[in-house]
């Protein structure tokens, strides 16, 4: 009879429930349906970035260009609409630009062998500069009313960005767990050398992961710009990158690669959004928000490191035991 095993996301989900309960007690307005929908809507941008970041982290990399990607794609969409393109086409081209940024990251990382931190830090600078250059550091108002549907539309009372996120998360979770290429993403992050020997195409996996991150950044840029109906060059350059990494790590996605789930990252995103929203409702200074989220990241990474240390010792013990058993089976020389 097989033993029942709780999902890996159970722990972080219980933490989320405790945080929601505490914040609801401290502020009755926090627990309202209206505030809940606002929380999810505000967290949609972070969650999309965390979704893309999950793919990258699973390969053992990191994407520092996601926040700048939000600014670049949002301004690009606004500029294209200003120049006469229909909002739907402008939106698709903007997301495509985000995807191209991700592909460039993946190509340089794989072929030039530059560490992901350096590559994405460099493209972060490029993506930050592009909207400033094409707008002269000025905001661009969006006049096409249809564009507002992306960030402000509702279906059966639920904000459209939340529905878009749910669809994307389910599709990503299915891809990572039910397809051969998804399994290869985990394998390449667990041990690239072993994965390569097993026939995994590391090139495809790397480019795919950063392309997904770039596309998610582009979608986040559309949502942020659509909500404001203004292409602002500084959109996404605040705590978005910081929060997206925190959401994935707190949700159980390992910074060392090969471990984590989309479900965990999404729960982590809701947790980060809840903490941020709750502190706003309680009129806590924004400076304290960065401190709290920073501590959350530190605790998450520390726990992950400790967990991997235990796994490593368990593996070492098993290998040692097997080696000892093999020696005992060998015939003794006469």
């Amino acid at each position: 009879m097989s033993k029942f095993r709780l999902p890996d996301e159970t722990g972080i989900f219980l933490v989320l429930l405790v945080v929601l309960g505490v914040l609801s007690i401290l502020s009755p307005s926090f627990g309202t349906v209206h505030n809940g929908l606002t929380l999810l809507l505000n967290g949609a941008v972070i969650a999309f970035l965390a979704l893309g970041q999950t793919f990258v982290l699973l390969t053992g990399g990191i994407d520092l260009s996601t926040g700048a990607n939000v600014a670049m794609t949002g301004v690009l969409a606004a500029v294209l609409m200003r120049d006469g393109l229909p909002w739907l086409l402008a939106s698709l081209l903007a997301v495509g630009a985000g995807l191209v940024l991700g592909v460039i990251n993946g190509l340089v990382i794989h072929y030039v062998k530059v560490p992901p931190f350096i590559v994405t830090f460099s493209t972060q600078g490029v993506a930050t500069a592009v909207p400033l250059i094409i707008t002269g550091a000025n905001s661009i108002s969006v006049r096409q009313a249809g564009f507002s549907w992306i960030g402000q539309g509702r279906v059966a009372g639920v904000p459209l960005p939340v529905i878009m996120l749910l669809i994307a998360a389910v599709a990503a979770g299915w891809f990572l767990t039910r397809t051969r290429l998804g399994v290869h993403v985990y394998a390449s992050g667990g041990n690239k050398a072993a994965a390569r020997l097993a026939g995994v195409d590391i090139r495809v996996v790397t480019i795919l992961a950063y392309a997904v991150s770039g596309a998610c950044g582009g979608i986040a840029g559309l949502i942020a710009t659509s909500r404001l109906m203004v292409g602002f060059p500084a959109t996404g350059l605040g705590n978005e990158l910081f929060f997206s990494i925190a959401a994935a790590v707190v949700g159980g996605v390992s910074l060392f690669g090969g471990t984590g789930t989309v479900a965990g990252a999404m729960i982590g995103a809701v947790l980060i959004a809840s903490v941020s929203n709750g502190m706003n409702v309680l009129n806590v200074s924004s400076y304290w928000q960065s401190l709290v989220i920073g501590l959350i990241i530190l605790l998450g990474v520390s726990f992950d490191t400790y967990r991997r240390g235990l796994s490593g010792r368990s593996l070492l013990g098993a290998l040692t035991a097997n080696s000892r058993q093999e020696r005992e089976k060998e015939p003794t020389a006469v």
Side-chain angles (χ1 to χ4, degrees), residues 141-160:
S141 297
V142 177
R143 304 298 182 187
Q144 298 188 31
F147 182 67
S148 65
W149 188 68
I150 296 176
Q152 302 176 31
R154 288 177 179 261
V155 177
V158 180
L160 181 62

Side-chain angles (χ1 to χ4, degrees), residues 275 279 283-295:
V275 172
M279 296 180 78
N283 294 320
V284 178
S285 170
S286 60
Y287 304 128
W288 285 94
Q289 293 185 28
S290 296
L291 185 149
V292 172
I293 302 300
L295 290 177

Side-chain angles (χ1 to χ4, degrees), residues 3-236:
K3 294 182 178 179
F4 176 74
R5 182 175 179 273
L6 291 173
D8 294 336
E9 301 84 10
T10 302
I12 186 62
F13 183 69
L14 292 176
V15 171
L16 173 62
L17 292 180
V18 171
V19 170
L20 292 176
V22 171
L23 290 174
S24 296
I25 293 173
L26 294 176
S27 175
S29 61
F30 177 85
T32 62
V33 174
H34 177 268
N35 186 66
L37 291 175
T38 300
L39 184 156
L40 292 175
L41 180 57
N42 291 338
V45 170
I46 301 301
F48 263 110
L49 296 182
L51 181 60
Q53 198 75 247
T54 297
F55 275 76
V56 173
L57 291 175
L58 286 175
T59 66
I62 193 169
D63 190 354
L64 301 181
S65 66
T66 53
N69 194 359
V70 171
M72 182 186 75
T73 53
V75 167
L76 180 59
V79 169
L80 291 174
M81 284 184 280
R82 182 196 63 185
D83 292 344
L85 264 67
W87 68 268
L88 182 57
L89 178 57
S91 299
L92 292 175
L93 290 176
V95 174
L99 188 148
V100 169
L101 178 67
V103 170
I104 292 173
N105 283 334
L107 288 172
V108 175
I109 289 169
H110 179 77
Y111 286 106
V112 187
K113 308 301 181 185
V114 179
F117 183 91
I118 301 300
V119 174
T120 58
F121 183 70
S122 301
T123 53
Q124 177 193 46
V126 173
T128 299
V130 167
L132 293 171
I133 293 171
I134 63 178
T135 65
N138 296 313
S139 59
I140 299 178
S141 297
V142 177
R143 304 298 182 187
Q144 298 188 31
F147 182 67
S148 65
W149 188 68
I150 296 176
Q152 302 176 31
R154 288 177 179 261
V155 177
V158 180
L160 181 62
V162 177
I163 297 175
M164 293 166 57
L165 175 64
L166 180 61
I167 294 172
V170 170
W174 177 85
F175 174 81
L176 288 173
T177 58
R178 302 296 182 183
T179 67
R180 180 185 297 272
L181 188 53
V183 174
H184 287 178
V185 171
Y186 280 98
S188 66
N191 188 320
K192 276 188 172 55
R196 187 179 289 108
L197 291 175
V200 174
D201 192 333
I202 302 298
R203 174 197 57 183
V204 172
V205 169
T206 301
I207 296 173
L208 169 72
Y210 285 92
V212 170
S213 182
C216 286
I219 296 173
L222 291 183
I223 294 172
T225 303
S226 176
R227 291 189 64 191
L228 300 173
M229 290 300 282
V230 173
F232 191 57
T235 301

